[in-house]
Amino acid sequence: MCGFANTVSTLTGTNWQFNENSRKTAENIDGKIGWEAIMMTYIAMLRGINVGRGKMVKMERLRTLFAGLGFGEVKTYVQSGNVVFQAERKSSAELTRTIEAKIQRDFGFIVPVLIKTSKELAQIVRANPLLRVKGIDVSKLHVTFLSDAPPKTATKVLEDLATTRERFRILNREIYLYCPDGYGKSKLTNNTIEKKFSLVATTRNWRTVSALLEMAGWRA
């Protein structure tokens, strides 16, 4: 992963606190005890920032924002809005609401945020069915993350949009995409998917997905 270290920045939240009583009294959760039973590593993916001249967000300010919410070990990857952080175990929905509200207060515009736990992202990476297709160029692979499960008609809708060379698979809340002619030339875009399914969609290439998983402490 050439240049990986140069694209990752870290900021430990100055407000990062943990109740010592919680540490001592935490019971076994998912096979973990104490601190690890309370803490969780999350990956937040922001939708539609730093594209053109709209919704410009510097990663330094974004890391400061996350640290200000009390999150720890905050790291960002590239400029498309990818944040790895640690927080006490909460639902993704609760964290999403908190982060979206803070972004709107601090930056003055709305940015949809999709959140995965490190375990969920690891499962998404392992489950990629296109990796088992002969002749697939991983540099042309992408994952579109959805805010909810797509409708049952999703496969047919995407089939009508995809070119004969493109491949896709839908699993749970993810669409695995193979765009041999480049994602920029595909009709399977975030905007199109959002309009067709009435869901939030944000896409990351396979290198970014793998890098985020590694930053979260898992092997891609």
Side-chain angles (χ1 to χ4, degrees):
M1 299 190 54
C2 182
F4 175 79
N6 293 330
T7 59
V8 178
S9 299
T10 305
L11 179 69
T12 301
T14 54
N15 295 329
W16 182 238
Q17 296 178 347
F18 186 80
N19 187 309
E20 186 64 25
N21 291 329
S22 297
R23 181 202 297 265
K24 293 177 180 178
T25 60
E27 297 297 332
N28 189 317
I29 302 176
D30 292 343
K32 301 180 185 298
I33 298 175
W35 174 269
E36 290 187 345
I38 295 296
M39 305 312 298
M40 177 75 76
T41 299
Y42 296 91
I43 299 92
M45 291 170 284
L46 282 62
R47 163 75 167 100
I49 67 167
N50 298 333
V51 179
R53 296 183 178 180
K55 295 186 178 181
M56 302 303 294
V57 177
K58 292 185 178 181
M59 294 302 99
E60 181 179 358
R61 282 195 66 191
L62 188 61
R63 292 191 297 272
T64 300
L65 182 150
F66 272 68
L69 288 171
F71 301 146
E73 299 300 319
V74 179
K75 308 171 187 176
T76 56
Y77 181 73
V78 298
Q79 300 299 307
S80 55
N82 309 286
V83 187
V84 178
F85 64 98
Q86 290 186 356
E88 293 185 33
R89 290 183 179 231
K90 296 181 180 180
S91 70
S92 294
E94 182 179 355
L95 288 170
T96 295
R97 288 192 297 269
T98 299
I99 294 168
E100 288 180 343
K102 179 66 170 173
I103 290 174
Q104 186 172 8
R105 288 196 302 270
D106 286 13
F107 290 97
F109 46 73
I110 296 172
V111 176
V113 177
L114 297 183
I115 292 180
K116 298 292 181 184
T117 67
S118 58
K119 183 177 180 180
E120 288 172 337
L121 189 62
Q123 291 171 336
I124 290 167
V125 169
R126 287 196 299 264
N128 190 343
L130 295 179
L131 291 175
R132 297 186 285 274
V133 177
K134 185 177 180 180
I136 290 291
D137 178 357
V138 295
S139 70
K140 305 295 184 180
L141 279 175
H142 300 76
V143 181
T144 298
F145 298 87
L146 305 176
S147 57
D148 207 340
K152 294 181 179 179
T153 58
T155 297
K156 179 62 170 63
V157 171
L158 296 186
E159 283 176 348
D160 292 341
L161 294 169
T163 68
T164 56
R165 284 167 47 82
E166 290 177 330
R167 299 286 183 272
F168 71 87
R169 298 289 188 277
I170 302 173
L171 292 178
N172 303 314
R173 297 185 179 188
E174 285 70 49
I175 302 172
Y176 299 90
L177 299 175
Y178 178 59
C179 304
D181 300 317
Y183 181 77
K185 296 182 178 180
S186 177
K187 293 182 179 180
L188 304 176
T189 65
N190 293 326
N191 287 337
T192 298
I193 290 172
E194 288 179 337
K195 290 177 181 178
K196 295 291 185 180
F197 302 154
S198 298
L199 298 171
V200 174
T202 189
T203 300
R204 300 294 185 270
N205 63 40
W206 194 245
R207 180 185 179 187
T208 293
V209 174
S210 300
L212 291 172
L213 185 62
E214 184 174 335
M215 288 169 61
W218 294 68
R219 283 188 176 275

